Amino acid sequence: MSRAARELAPRADELIADVTRRLRREVAELWSDPDLARMTSENIAEHVVGVLAGLELGIEPSDIEPPSADADRARRLARHGTPVTAMLRAHRLGQGVVLDRLLAEIPRLTNDGELISAASRRLLSMATGYVDRASEQGVLAFQDERDRRLQWRLSVVNEAGLRIGTTLDIARTTQELADLATDHIADLVTVDLLGSVVQGHDTSAAGPLVLRRMAQRAVAGGGPEPTVQVQELHTCPAGSPSARALATGQPSRYADGNRSTLVVPLSARGTTLGVAQFSRYRAPDLFDDEDLLLAQEITARAAVAVDNARRYTHARAMALTLQRSLLPRRAAEQSAVEVACRYLPAGAQAGVGGDWYDVIPLSGARVALVVGDVVGHGIHAAATMGRLRTAVRTLADIDLPPDELLTHLDDVVIRLSAEASADPDTEVAGDIGATCLYAVYDPVAGRCSLARAGHVLPAVVTRDGTVDLLDLPPGPPLGLGGLPFEATDVDLPEGSLLALYTDGLIEARDHDVERGLALLSHALTRPSASLEAACDTVLQALLPADRPHDDVALLLARTRTLGDGQVAAWDLDADPAIVTEARASVTRQLAAWGLDDLDFTTELVVSELVTNAIRYGRPPIHLRLIRDRALLCEVSDDGSTTPHLRRARAFDEGGRGLLLVAQLAEHWGTRHARHGKTVWAELSETGNVELLELASVL
């Protein structure tokens, strides 16, 4: 065997070439990558030269060890993703070629048949043992590397679960993917999303694919700089790897010289959102199948996080749009208070909620100030808020006192909760709940009546700068039912500042409610150029710089009063003869105010309202004129009967009085007090023209 090996040694290159040709033909996957092909060729040469040298020197066959670098090359095979079976087949095929050449040399060296047979058997045993040892060592090294790579890949995937998708922000999520990938597998990472996806659509428009660069990161040191900047739009070239990935949803791997690139689509829930590219230009190894698998895994996690952020952003935008549309765009015109309002949606995952505010003009120059908070967040809370705000306005139109209004609003919430529970398709879990604070300010009396349903206490700042929390009875939250509400009357001199707000303003993660109230009191006492500036001061003092943890509604109202020069009142006897005197008093007052053009209309309205009070009401009877943005005429009595319009027949002597009032007045109605009622009418300077038209008909 030593002589046979010595004869073959000068032709080792030829033998190596034969083995190489055989392996190229039978185990082509070992030549699929240039680096892997070079490694395989070196491995063949070392095995052939090592075996021939060992036989030539007469080393015991069992002592001929495979090359020391064999284990390292097996590990590199594992890193390249080549199956271990390819390595084992290569060993067996290489053994067959070398063994055939050795067996062919033995008969040329001796004619002794027994010696030839013994040498052949010994050679076969030696070759089998050598291949077994080489295969065993290679498999152990291969499996060790595979286990290490698997553990490393799992650790990277686990790290991706912790680092990617920490917020519901699309740009930050894509940047987290780029940062993680450059830390572990790539030198340059870019993440592009379809422009239609960023805009909230699931499908892109016809024509070239337009991408928005959402994130990118490159390791320092000699690499090419990206030609597209973050947030820049660019067109994806037709036929490019990125275009194919977007069209097919399949990843790809390619090399350009020393630069290796992975192109992986971002797909989630059946929708392709964009594409990520991973480039390697510094590492000695090109990307392999293992790297592609890892890139797919972390990209898939990022895609789900991006889709969640996209859906959240879309839902939040819808809820915010709904919330904004349901809130008053501007405060209603009225003279009782100067107001400034704010609504801020929550940040993070809470999003838009059901906080709201409203300013509702009432009869008698009064105004209702409302702040409420629906439990929960999202579009359902915003929709519920809209329904409650509509209900409050409807109840305010019939001039209910604050405690009675909250009682009716409580019934509305109970019905809404019952409807939601009975609807199998509803996505709302649990009962609907809300809190509300309803206040009515009267600028004539300078008094405010307030009632609350589970809401935080309002604050009042007097003209001397003192801040007080109004001690209102703690009514239950809306939706519980069966529990009463109680109103409190408070004197508010002109210039007092009333602050109504929701709990998101004073509750925070970094301080308790008491601390929040102290901050609010301090902010309310700080000088401000205007009420709008005061709102900004309060929000800046109490809320985080980015977004509040809960949505916030804030309403600031500075009180005004209507003095004696704008109000005139008379006590009237329950005698029909007093109507003439009342008309004369009204005429003199209008002349004093310079409103002579309204005297005829006002006399008719006063005559009808006073006559109705005498005929159907109970004494005492009061007449009051208020000069505000319009002329307000009010007649009060102690009766509880509510006047209403009716159609008078042709020969009826009565029944036309309220019809006449309704035609002459801009608005009219009835409000009830603890004792008695008030019928009111609002008149404008166009009343005389309408009167002439009405008179021509009647």
Side-chain angles (χ1 to χ4, degrees):
M1 288 193 298
S2 175
R3 291 174 56 194
R6 190 178 303 114
E7 292 291 329
L8 280 178
R11 291 174 286 162
D13 290 342
E14 179 184 340
L15 182 57
I16 292 171
D18 289 343
V19 174
T20 301
R21 282 193 297 271
R22 179 73 181 274
L23 296 188
R24 279 184 176 273
R25 185 174 66 253
E26 301 290 339
V27 197
E29 55 264 42
L30 295 179
W31 273 265
S32 61
D33 181 87
D35 185 59
L36 189 59
R38 175 186 55 79
M39 179 189 65
T40 303
S41 298
E42 293 175 355
N43 188 241
I44 291 172
E46 289 187 359
H47 274 287
V48 170
V49 171
V51 168
L52 292 179
L55 291 176
E56 185 178 357
L57 295 175
I59 300 174
E60 280 295 318
S62 60
D63 294 334
I64 300 177
E65 293 293 332
S68 59
D70 206 36
D72 293 335
R73 294 189 178 97
R75 294 187 184 94
R76 296 184 69 182
L77 279 174
R79 290 197 295 272
H80 276 270
T82 305
V84 69
T85 53
M87 182 184 67
L88 297 179
R89 282 174 29 230
H91 280 311
R92 292 297 180 188
L93 291 172
Q95 171 199 12
V97 173
V98 175
L99 190 59
D100 287 344
R101 297 293 296 274
L102 285 171
L103 291 176
E105 290 295 327
I106 290 177
R108 298 190 183 98
L109 302 177
T110 179
N111 293 324
D112 188 341
E114 291 185 2
L115 183 58
I116 292 174
S117 177
S120 298
R121 289 195 302 272
R122 184 71 180 275
L123 191 59
L124 288 172
S125 175
M126 180 274 299
T128 301
Y130 177 83
V131 169
D132 286 346
R133 290 194 303 275
S135 298
E136 181 180 1
Q137 292 178 11
V139 168
L140 290 176
F142 186 95
Q143 191 60 46
D144 180 69
E145 181 64 20
R146 291 284 295 176
D147 291 343
R148 189 192 67 79
R149 291 269 292 178
L150 178 60
Q151 292 175 359
W152 172 76
R153 195 174 79 223
L154 290 176
S155 68
V156 174
V157 172
N158 290 335
E159 186 178 348
L162 298 175
R163 291 177 55 178
I164 298 177
T166 58
T167 67
L168 288 172
D169 181 85
I170 295 177
R172 182 168 177 178
T173 299
T174 53
Q175 189 61 51
E176 288 168 346
L177 169 62
D179 293 344
L180 177 78
T182 50
D183 286 346
H184 293 286
I185 64 172
D187 301 324
L188 170 64
V189 179
T190 63
V191 184
D192 298 312
L193 295 183
L194 289 167
S196 57
V197 170
V198 178
Q199 295 170 3
H201 306 293
D202 288 336
T203 57
S204 59
L209 294 174
V210 177
L211 300 174
R212 181 180 293 275
R213 178 63 49 83
M214 298 302 298
Q216 61 187 23
R217 186 187 179 194
V219 296
E225 291 294 329
T227 58
V228 180
Q229 301 304 314
V230 174
Q231 293 300 324
E232 185 177 342
L233 291 174
H234 61 101
T235 302
C236 183
S240 64
S242 295
R244 290 194 297 270
L246 291 170
T248 64
Q250 298 298 319
S252 61
R253 173 166 55 96
Y254 64 92
D256 182 12
N258 293 327
R259 179 167 178 167
S260 180
T261 303
L262 302 176
V263 180
V264 183
L266 278 82
S267 301
R269 300 180 177 94
T271 300
T272 300
L273 308 175
V275 64
Q277 291 197 41
F278 307 83
S279 298
R280 182 181 287 173
Y281 47 79
R282 296 193 316 163
D285 295 330
L286 302 180
F287 284 125
D288 55 32
D289 291 338
E290 291 281 326
D291 295 321
L292 180 59
L293 179 60
L294 176 59
Q296 285 181 270
E297 290 179 332
I298 62 176
T299 302
R301 288 180 176 268
V304 172
V306 167
D307 190 54
N308 289 338
R310 179 178 69 98
R311 290 170 180 265
Y312 162 78
T313 301
H314 182 57
R316 185 178 186 277
M318 289 179 59
L320 185 56
T321 300
L322 176 62
Q323 176 84 339
R324 298 289 191 193
S325 67
L326 295 175
L327 289 173
R329 295 183 180 273
R330 61 184 63 88
E333 293 185 358
Q334 43 78 39
S335 303
V337 292
E338 176 192 358
V339 296
C341 309
R342 294 288 188 276
Y343 170 77
L344 292 180
Q349 299 184 7
V352 179
D355 290 17
W356 91 92
Y357 59 84
D358 210 346
V359 179
I360 308 171
L362 301 176
S363 63
R366 299 170 305 138
V367 65
L369 306 173
V370 193
V371 169
D373 184 1
V374 175
V375 175
H377 294 85
I379 194 167
H380 295 289
T384 301
M385 177 276 293
R387 300 175 74 175
L388 293 186
R389 178 172 175 256
T390 301
V392 170
R393 280 191 159 260
T394 302
L395 295 170
D397 281 344
I398 58 178
D399 266 320
L400 290 177
D403 51 345
E404 294 184 22
L405 184 141
L406 291 181
T407 300
H408 287 282
L409 191 61
D410 187 42
D411 294 336
V412 172
V413 174
I414 292 174
R415 285 196 297 271
L416 292 178
S417 181
E419 291 174 4
S421 300
D423 186 358
D425 297 328
T426 185
E427 299 180 8
V428 180
D431 296 332
I432 296 175
T435 65
C436 184
L437 175 64
Y438 186 81
V440 175
Y441 174 69
D442 184 351
V444 177
R447 292 181 65 81
C448 186
S449 179
L450 308 95
R452 65 181 179 127
H455 205 79
V456 291
L457 294 173
V460 172
V461 184
T462 59
R463 300 192 67 173
D464 62 2
T466 303
V467 180
D468 293 317
L469 291 179
L470 297 181
D471 187 14
L472 305 182
L478 299 172
L480 296 182
L483 298 175
F485 300 97
E486 184 178 350
T488 299
D489 292 337
V490 179
D491 289 326
L492 293 181
E494 183 172 10
S496 299
L497 180 62
L498 180 62
L500 310 182
Y501 50 90
T502 55
D503 56 4
L505 181 66
I506 58 174
E507 294 179 358
R509 297 173 183 172
D510 57 350
H511 62 256
D512 56 16
V513 174
E514 295 299 327
R515 173 61 176 166
L517 290 173
L519 292 173
L520 174 62
S521 299
H522 179 70
L524 289 174
T525 58
R526 293 173 60 181
S528 299
S530 65
L531 213 54
E532 295 290 338
C535 272
D536 295 334
T537 299
V538 170
L539 296 179
Q540 292 171 5
L542 279 88
L543 300 181
D546 46 6
R547 285 180 182 173
H549 302 298
D550 193 6
D551 53 334
V552 173
L554 172 65
L555 189 156
L556 298 183
R558 192 178 303 281
T559 61
R560 299 171 178 147
T561 58
L562 300 182
D564 295 338
Q566 293 177 269
V567 181
W570 301 271
D571 294 328
L572 305 179
D573 296 329
D575 183 353
I578 202 66
V579 175
T580 302
E581 182 180 338
R583 294 174 61 171
S585 299
V586 167
T587 300
R588 289 192 297 270
Q589 186 62 55
L590 293 179
W593 284 342
L595 300 177
D596 301 274
D597 292 341
L598 288 177
D599 57 356
F600 187 44
T601 305
T602 308
E603 286 180 14
L604 287 176
V605 172
V606 168
S607 296
E608 293 300 331
L609 296 185
V610 172
T611 300
N612 271 344
I614 294 172
R615 181 177 298 180
Y616 304 110
R618 296 171 56 186
I621 300 173
H622 304 279
L623 170 62
R624 185 169 70 167
L625 294 182
I626 301 175
R627 185 185 182 186
D628 192 24
R629 297 176 181 272
L631 180 64
L632 305 176
C633 178
E634 299 181 344
V635 176
S636 304
D637 68 82
D638 210 35
S640 58
T641 304
T642 301
H644 60 277
L645 286 174
R646 66 181 180 88
R647 182 179 295 277
R649 294 184 174 89
F651 299 102
D652 288 349
E653 295 183 1
R656 296 179 177 85
L658 286 181
L659 175 62
L660 183 63
V661 171
Q663 294 295 324
L664 295 177
E666 289 289 316
H667 306 285
W668 77 280
T670 304
R671 67 174 181 267
H672 290 267
R674 299 297 178 190
H675 301 286
K677 65 179 181 299
T678 299
V679 183
W680 56 271
E682 179 181 315
L683 306 177
S684 69
E685 296 183 3
T686 61
N688 287 329
V689 177
E690 296 177 357
L691 174 61
L692 293 175
E693 296 176 354
L694 180 62
S696 65
V697 175
L698 296 178

